[in-house]
Amino acid sequence: MRFRWGVFSKIFTVILLTFSIIISVYWWFDRRDMLAHVDTIVQQRHAAQLRLLTAYIDNWVEESRRLLEYTASLPQVRSMERQQQSDILDELVLHHVSGFGAFAIGPQGRTIIRGNGQFPIDYSNRGYVQAILQDKIFSLKLVIAHGTNQPALVMAVPIYSSNPHNQGVGVLGLAIDLTEVTERVLDLEVGQTGHAHLLDAAGRLIIERNFDPADFLSDRSDHPGLTSESNSTFKAQIAHDSDGQDSHQHKSISSSLRTEYGWYVVISEAYD
């Protein structure tokens, strides 16, 4: 017996196909909106975490800078006399919880004294010293500490004379262990799969998970989440799977925020 399409069957089939198309379109738009909503939530969470972390880093550097500038203003330091500076430099290192070395340098870049009785050395070729001798009021240098083989920071400020002309007569420097900062970066909880790392102003590595000292200051400027803005603009970059489809598989987001002193905190996270 040959099947024949009746009017009712045709109407039912058209209604079924129309309904299927409507449901498919609704599902596609609903899924797209849902994924966009998830992206927005993740970006908002990243932005909040980055603001807190960059504020902490800026405050940490600023407090260290203020302590160094205050020490440089003391009469004993401004005298540029080795005996008067000795105890002050030792107290500076003891007062800063992460400090491990202090030094005072004359106008020619020659060390007058180093804290803790360390033997004086020639700092005249150090960029952060030359910056101060060329009238910069503050300079920073990222280094690897010999004792710990971990990132450290050397900061320097000018020493001014006590005469009315307030002339620059030297440089006061402090070497600081960065462990307090790097641990805060590495301990940041970013979802279930995310992590944070710290880059310098040129996009070079300061600290990351499974840090290898050999990678210190290696170029990471091509990181997708790194913003090239000169201000503290938040940037988020979403990446999809290799075929370019809007799939939950292999989806990741990288976000960054620049600190006041030029470093970048970068967050990377994979999520569904």
Side-chain angles (χ1 to χ4, degrees):
M1 181 177 177
R2 190 173 179 182
F3 178 77
R4 301 176 115 193
W5 282 82
V7 174
F8 177 78
S9 298
K10 292 179 180 179
I11 293 175
F12 178 78
T13 301
V14 170
I15 293 174
L16 183 61
L17 289 173
T18 303
F19 182 75
S20 298
I21 293 172
I22 292 173
I23 290 297
S24 298
V25 171
Y26 175 81
W27 176 86
W28 186 85
F29 278 105
D30 184 65
R31 180 175 179 274
R32 187 189 65 175
D33 292 342
M34 180 189 68
L35 291 174
H37 182 61
V38 170
D39 293 344
T40 300
I41 291 175
V42 173
Q43 290 181 45
Q44 290 174 344
R45 174 163 51 79
H46 282 196
Q49 290 179 302
L50 286 169
R51 289 192 197 98
L52 288 174
L53 190 50
T54 53
Y56 167 81
I57 294 173
D58 283 333
N59 288 336
W60 185 90
V61 176
E62 186 62 25
E63 287 178 2
S64 301
R65 175 180 179 173
R66 288 177 181 176
L67 175 61
L68 191 60
E69 289 176 336
Y70 168 76
T71 304
S73 70
L74 296 176
Q76 298 94 320
V77 176
R78 299 174 77 176
S79 71
M80 297 305 289
E81 294 291 336
R82 182 191 301 265
Q83 291 182 343
Q84 294 190 48
Q85 291 178 334
S86 178
D87 291 341
I88 299 297
L89 265 61
D90 290 342
E91 289 179 14
L92 172 61
V93 173
L94 290 174
H95 188 77
H96 195 295
V97 65
S98 301
F100 64 86
F103 53 88
I105 299 171
Q108 303 303 320
R110 300 282 182 174
T111 309
I112 294 177
I113 189 171
R114 297 174 71 197
N116 299 322
Q118 298 180 74
F119 189 78
I121 60 176
D122 184 5
Y123 282 88
S124 59
N125 63 342
R126 309 291 173 89
Y128 55 89
V129 171
Q130 288 299 319
I132 300 298
L133 294 177
Q134 295 171 13
D135 297 328
K136 193 172 182 180
I137 62 173
F138 181 64
S139 65
L140 296 173
K141 174 67 175 180
L142 289 160
V143 298
I144 285 288
H146 296 300
T148 63
N149 212 27
Q150 292 296 311
L153 179 67
V154 180
M155 57 176 56
V157 298
I159 301 173
Y160 295 109
S161 65
S162 302
N163 61 45
H165 299 292
N166 210 32
Q167 297 173 327
V169 293
V171 179
L172 181 65
L174 177 65
I176 308 171
D177 190 336
L178 271 180
T179 299
E180 186 177 348
V181 170
T182 57
E183 285 185 350
R184 183 66 68 95
V185 172
L186 298 178
D187 289 345
L188 184 67
E189 294 185 2
V190 185
Q192 296 181 343
T193 63
H195 62 277
H197 51 280
L198 188 62
L199 307 178
D200 73 357
R204 299 176 302 177
L205 178 68
I206 299 175
I207 194 69
E208 66 179 352
R209 289 191 307 180
N210 304 317
F211 176 71
D212 184 346
D215 293 330
F216 181 66
L217 296 184
S218 58
D219 185 16
R220 303 295 174 84
S221 58
D222 60 347
H223 192 285
L226 186 62
T227 172
S228 59
E229 300 289 341
S230 59
N231 54 25
S232 300
T233 302
F234 170 77
K235 177 183 179 181
Q237 180 68 41
I238 299 174
H240 302 281
D241 57 349
S242 58
D243 62 5
Q245 299 300 312
D246 192 15
S247 169
H248 70 279
Q249 295 182 349
H250 310 300
K251 191 172 186 180
S252 64
I253 181 171
S254 296
S255 310
S256 66
L257 192 63
R258 184 177 182 267
T259 71
E260 181 180 342
Y261 288 93
W263 300 346
Y264 291 93
V265 182
V266 184
I267 289 177
S268 299
E269 179 182 3
Y271 64 97
D272 293 336

